[in-house]
Amino acid sequence: MTMVIRKSSSRAMTCLFLYQLLPPTRSHHNHSFSIYKSCRSLSKTPSDFLGSIWCPTVCAAPTIRSFSSKFSESNTTARMQNPESISYLTQREAAEVDEILMGPLGFSVDQLMELAGLSVATSIAEVYKPSEYSRVLAICGPGNNGGDGLVAARHLHHFGYKPSVCYPKRTQKPLYNGLVTQLESLSVPFLSVEDLPVDLSEDFDILVDAMFGFSFHGSPRPPFDDLIQKLVQLCNFAQNHQKSPVIVSVDIPSGWHVEEGDVSGEGVKPDMLVSLTAPKLCAKRFTGPHHFLGGRFVPSSIVDKFKLHLPPYPGTSMCVRIGKPPQIDISALRQNYISPELLEEQVAADPIDQFCKWFDEALASGLREPNAMALSTVGKDGKPQLKGAQNYVEWVGSFGVCKKDKCELELDKEIQFLGLVQVLFMLIDTITQDLLVTTCHVTFCNSSSRIVLLKGVDKDGFVWYTNYESQKAHELSENPQASLLFYWDGLKRQAMLPLHFRPGSKVHIRLYKHEVRVEGSVQKVPDEESEQYFHSRPRGSQIGAIASKQSTIIPGRHILHQTYKELEGKYSDGSLIPKPKHWGGYRLKPQLFEFWQGQQSRLHDRLQYIPQEIDGKLVWKIVRLAP
């Protein structure tokens, strides 16, 4: 798949691409940033987003829209996620499905409850991250729906949330008593109705409505009538733009008729609905931003009997989104960081010591691959050395039903990019309505950046390993200067990435919330050090390093598999796998550090370490930069 954009050299070109990238790790199977964003200057449908690349002076839509239309026509999964194409169960059908599951098919109540509660918890974790929505109150009714809420609270605890439970009408059955005991063993607090604060918005970020399921009849009795009223009032507060926790309803929003919906208008209006097994008819009237289906256990016999049309679950997930995520105005996206101040007198005198302190905090916070870092390099003339003098953007991973995994952006050689060029991408997979970027390698204008993994740090610098015949290696051989960027999102410290537009000049693109930026000279590590690290790797990784001729063009993925299998057979006897000559490590010797801590009102902290020689000794001067 090749997209071509050309422009006259008489004008500088700045292209703004909509983007949403997953956290910069080499293996992005986490959907933690699966948020669609809209731009008022662009078209509004997913297929239009795919078919539109907007530049102030260029219109390339005809070429790219042809790809978009073909993509959409073959996208049967996208149609399955359309709410109008999915099956909805009546109350009688839902009860019959449960009877079959717990009868001929051999499921027990506690099995189904465990699967349902896990589905609710994973749906919540898909949208509401514990770093921002940690305080959860699960309001549980006396029936199976309440049991689902108890199970969800337990899983949310293990996911890193801080759940509390309000369970006013406890069911004295062994199953439910066991669920209560499990939560109490985790020190999850149980709150009586009287213990609840008058204003729930002060103490909780998420309210799980697990009061009544599809089998409930009649009007809610005390204390649930008052609890439902509390949630309804919170919905009204939210409409008035007041701070309010989000509400997640389990299967049926409390106060709703299972088929007709919120008939009285006095039912809960949740932000998220997690339908279980299959959506109930009332879900057609759900207008909130997030509708998920949970319960990945429906056998084909039930699907056939009830002629169910249900969306496929992605990967190993226990939940799947129904419908499109809400569109968000990009211009309105902002976060006011609340962090401890980063003061000169509090940081270590040596930047390596300060880095290690922050790295330990990243490890302790449980972030995924905290040693992932963006490595930026340039060639001898301050530009990346690309074949054919082309600048390109490459992603590797699933892109819907399109099996191609590379997109090249060809540019006229004489085009000169001036000033700050922002490269922002939105990659929309209309099959799953998720972003499925796994590895992002961005090369644009005068520098190339990619994600590598830090494998060592000491007073001599930062070490990583790679192929010596790769693009980054060629650039480092011609210009052994580079910069490193560490992305630690959960610590509320924003990032800046230096891009070298020409020798001696640089610009910054602000990317993330936490930053340690390191610049310096690069040299290869001794071969014996590379040898030692190479043989510490899993044998599969050792074989992979030999099989891949990094950055070279290959006719297809089958070549990699074929080469890998041949090498796997060659070394199947367990003999030592020799390190290839073209593989080894680099060490960046720092010449500049910058630590960036996000603060409120964009008054961020930026402390820079600059090396100075005093009395023949290297010392680091700490200066503060304006944000």
Side-chain angles (χ1 to χ4, degrees), residues 425-600:
F425 302 91
M426 171 176 274
L427 302 177
I428 299 180
D429 181 353
T430 55
I431 281 186
T432 64
Q433 301 297 315
D434 264 330
L435 302 174
L436 295 181
V437 183
T438 58
T439 299
C440 181
H441 175 124
V442 179
T443 301
F444 212 77
C445 297
N446 301 76
S447 75
S448 59
S449 302
R450 77 286 291 159
I451 300 301
V452 297
L453 295 181
L454 177 70
K455 289 299 178 181
V457 57
D458 54 28
K459 297 297 182 181
D460 294 324
F462 296 76
V463 176
W464 68 94
Y465 293 88
T466 188
N467 190 306
Y468 285 154
E469 295 177 353
S470 62
Q471 177 187 322
K472 55 183 169 292
H474 286 303
E475 292 178 359
L476 287 171
S477 67
E478 294 184 342
N479 189 342
Q481 302 291 320
S483 66
L484 304 176
L485 168 71
F486 290 85
Y487 164 67
W488 298 327
D489 173 70
L491 299 181
K492 305 300 182 187
R493 293 157 178 167
Q494 189 171 344
M496 294 184 298
L497 172 64
L499 296 178
H500 299 265
F501 273 67
R502 59 183 64 87
S505 67
K506 66 183 70 172
V507 298
H508 293 120
I509 295 180
R510 294 180 180 176
L511 294 177
Y512 301 116
K513 300 178 186 176
H514 176 104
E515 182 263 340
V516 176
R517 178 164 62 88
V518 185
E519 296 181 358
S521 59
V522 179
Q523 61 183 10
K524 291 181 180 179
V525 303
D527 196 58
E528 56 270 20
E529 188 175 334
S530 293
E531 187 88 31
Q532 181 179 4
Y533 173 72
F534 181 80
H535 290 117
S536 73
R537 308 174 86 205
R539 288 181 67 85
S541 297
Q542 295 180 42
I543 294 174
I546 302 174
S548 174
K549 297 181 179 180
Q550 197 174 110
S551 298
T552 62
I553 296 174
I554 58 176
R557 185 168 179 80
H558 65 281
I559 297 297
L560 290 175
H561 284 293
Q562 179 181 336
T563 306
Y564 184 92
K565 287 182 178 180
E566 291 173 356
L567 291 168
E568 195 175 34
K570 181 178 179 180
Y571 299 110
S572 60
D573 58 356
S575 60
L576 185 70
I577 301 174
K579 181 189 76 68
K581 293 182 179 179
H582 61 262
W583 191 95
Y586 286 101
R587 176 177 280 104
L588 182 141
K589 187 173 180 60
Q591 297 169 352
L592 181 144
F593 281 83
E594 185 174 324
F595 294 85
W596 210 110
Q597 174 77 61
Q599 298 294 348
Q600 295 189 57

Side-chain angles (χ1 to χ4, degrees), residues 117-135:
L118 177 59
S119 300
V120 172
T122 55
S123 298
I124 291 173
E126 188 79 11
V127 177
Y128 305 112
K129 303 308 168 187
S131 58
E132 300 175 21
Y133 297 85
S134 63
R135 305 169 302 168

Side-chain angles (χ1 to χ4, degrees), residues 90-235:
T90 65
Q91 188 175 39
R92 180 187 60 79
E93 289 171 334
E96 189 175 350
V97 168
D98 268 12
E99 289 175 5
I100 295 173
L101 286 170
M102 292 184 286
L105 294 181
F107 283 89
S108 62
V109 176
D110 51 341
Q111 265 187 308
L112 295 177
M113 199 171 288
E114 187 68 27
L115 291 167
L118 177 59
S119 300
V120 172
T122 55
S123 298
I124 291 173
E126 188 79 11
V127 177
Y128 305 112
K129 303 308 168 187
S131 58
E132 300 175 21
Y133 297 85
S134 63
R135 305 169 302 168
V136 180
L137 174 65
I139 305 175
C140 301
N144 290 348
N145 198 261
D148 297 340
L150 295 173
V151 174
R154 168 162 43 83
H155 286 293
L156 287 171
H157 169 84
H158 291 302
F159 291 172
Y161 295 84
K162 298 176 181 177
S164 300
V165 176
C166 179
Y167 190 22
K169 297 289 184 179
R170 299 192 180 190
T171 302
Q172 296 304 318
K173 293 181 179 179
L175 169 59
Y176 296 88
N177 288 335
L179 295 177
V180 170
T181 300
Q182 292 162 16
L183 287 167
E184 289 175 339
S185 71
L186 298 173
S187 299
V188 172
F190 279 78
L191 306 176
S192 67
V193 175
E194 293 74 25
D195 291 334
L196 293 178
V198 176
D199 184 2
L200 295 177
S201 64
E202 293 295 327
D203 292 63
F204 303 105
D205 306 307
I206 300 175
L207 301 175
V208 179
D209 162 28
M211 287 182 269
F212 302 110
F214 65 80
S215 60
F216 177 77
H217 295 276
S219 300
R221 294 189 295 272
F224 295 106
D225 52 352
D226 289 338
L227 289 170
I228 291 175
Q229 189 60 33
K230 275 180 174 287
L231 299 189
V232 171
Q233 291 173 354
L234 286 174
C235 296

